[in-house]
Amino acid sequence: MKSLLLGALLLGMGTLWAVQAPRRFLYSDFMNRKLVYVDESNPAAYWEAFVPEICFDITRTGNRMYAAQRNGWREYDLAKRHLTREVKDAERMKNVTSACEGADGHVYAFEQKGEVHEFSQTGEWLYTYTFPAVVRHGRALRFTDRGTALLGIDDGVAEVRFARDVAPEARLVRTFVIPGARSAYQGHYLADGNLLVTGGYTPELITFSPGGKILSRVQAKQPEGLQNFFYGGFEVLKNGDVLLANWTGHNGRDFVPGWKLIAFDAAGKVVWKWNAPWAGTPNAVLVFE
């Protein structure tokens, strides 16, 4: 993975926007097709890597990171900072939005149309899971500790199980629906059983009860001239804060300004935000604690 040091240019920029302790993070810059690493306490550690296609999501297991791309995914070794392999299957996969490693070591690739393809550790196709029509316009895939997976779908999140010898309807456990939402992005179960969801073009961090009732809807109050545009990928930090990406456009033509990364505490208060003129449009983020 190509490394780029910004030196004096970044010195001072990296901490300019921080309001708490410095953070280390890696994000997908959707607009510029880059992976970008920032260490606020060490600006010289900055690096970026260009990706050949638009990347909707990034996930990691240990030092392995998966960057989704149209016909598959690219896998990186974060410790060595280089690309280890690229898996493509254009016959089966047309628009992959998320690739995630399961507890079995297999990689599961989620398509925008709602299918999930299972691959072995060596990149061999094993099975394609289909679901009812409600699973559509897919975004992020995340596994739970319940033996299920959460799929970001158009109007919320679908919880599914990857069972082969059952009908598509039997694979759908339940859905969590955000009224009026479009392109909802990611879900995550908290320890108390509540579910966090980012609403996509409904730029809110939404909490559902285990029974599916909406408990809270949180949005950052940004300064005049900045906008909450699309709440995308997020991580729940060790202290319970939620750090998410506020995607702000496909390209320069429809770009809208706003804080790029935002962290909320459990009460919904903004406790950290990050922005920079060179940040592009982050849509997914990994945090290193």
Side-chain angles (χ1 to χ4, degrees):
M1 185 179 287
K2 189 181 295 183
S3 186
L4 179 65
L5 303 180
L6 295 188
L9 177 63
L10 279 179
L11 202 56
M13 269 190 184
T15 56
L16 179 62
W17 302 93
V19 296
Q20 283 200 336
R23 298 183 186 273
R24 296 188 300 128
F25 51 87
L26 187 155
Y27 66 87
S28 166
D29 177 356
F30 186 94
M31 181 169 69
N32 296 306
R33 300 206 318 268
K34 293 191 297 187
L35 302 172
V36 180
Y37 175 80
V38 174
D39 181 345
E40 290 187 304
S41 64
N42 182 15
Y46 176 99
W47 57 260
E48 62 182 33
F50 290 92
V51 290
E53 300 176 19
I54 286 173
C55 176
F56 276 91
D57 191 26
I58 52 177
T59 65
R60 64 170 165 161
T61 299
N63 283 323
R64 292 187 298 280
M65 186 186 76
Y66 301 93
Q69 60 183 18
R70 184 175 55 184
N71 303 130
W73 69 88
R74 292 164 69 85
E75 185 176 328
Y76 295 85
D77 183 323
L78 291 176
K80 298 178 180 179
R81 300 213 307 252
H82 69 74
L83 175 70
T84 56
R85 67 172 175 171
E86 182 177 45
V87 176
K88 284 190 173 184
D89 188 338
E91 181 179 346
R92 292 187 177 88
M93 298 185 287
K94 306 302 181 185
N95 195 3
V96 172
T97 57
S98 185
C100 191
E101 183 177 323
D104 54 7
H106 295 176
V107 178
Y108 294 75
F110 184 29
E111 291 234 41
Q112 191 172 52
K113 64 181 177 180
E115 295 181 343
V116 175
H117 307 280
E118 180 183 356
F119 286 79
S120 71
Q121 291 177 325
T122 55
E124 299 168 320
W125 173 82
L126 299 174
Y127 196 80
T128 296
Y129 300 92
T130 58
F131 306 95
V134 67
V135 180
R136 66 187 187 279
H137 207 74
R139 291 302 190 196
L141 182 160
R142 297 293 187 272
F143 285 97
T144 75
D145 58 5
R146 308 176 178 199
T148 61
L150 296 170
L151 306 177
I153 58 176
D154 197 31
D155 57 359
V157 165
E159 184 173 7
V160 303
R161 60 193 184 106
F162 296 131
R164 295 188 182 183
D165 299 324
V166 300
E169 293 76 15
R171 296 180 183 129
L172 180 62
V173 178
R174 56 180 168 172
T175 58
F176 296 83
V177 176
I178 306 166
R182 181 165 65 93
S183 298
Y185 203 93
Q186 182 185 334
H188 176 87
Y189 273 121
L190 297 172
D192 60 6
N194 290 337
L195 180 78
L196 290 178
V197 180
T198 39
Y201 284 111
T202 299
E204 297 174 338
L205 179 64
I206 299 160
T207 304
F208 286 88
S209 72
K213 179 182 178 181
I214 293 179
L215 301 176
S216 66
R217 306 178 71 148
V218 172
Q219 185 181 84
K221 184 178 181 180
Q222 300 208 27
E224 184 176 353
L226 301 183
Q227 299 182 38
N228 298 290
F229 185 65
F230 182 106
Y231 280 11
F234 68 90
E235 286 209 335
V236 178
L237 308 184
K238 293 176 182 178
N239 65 358
D241 291 351
V242 179
L243 196 156
L244 59 80
N246 176 40
W247 177 72
T248 50
H250 291 87
N251 49 48
R253 292 189 301 274
D254 66 2
F255 173 82
V256 296
W259 293 337
K260 310 303 183 199
L261 301 174
I262 306 168
F264 297 93
D265 66 12
K269 177 185 176 183
V270 174
V271 293
W272 177 88
K273 71 269 191 185
W274 181 84
N275 203 352
W278 44 266
T281 61
N283 62 304
V285 61
L286 303 175
V287 184
F288 302 89
E289 297 189 88

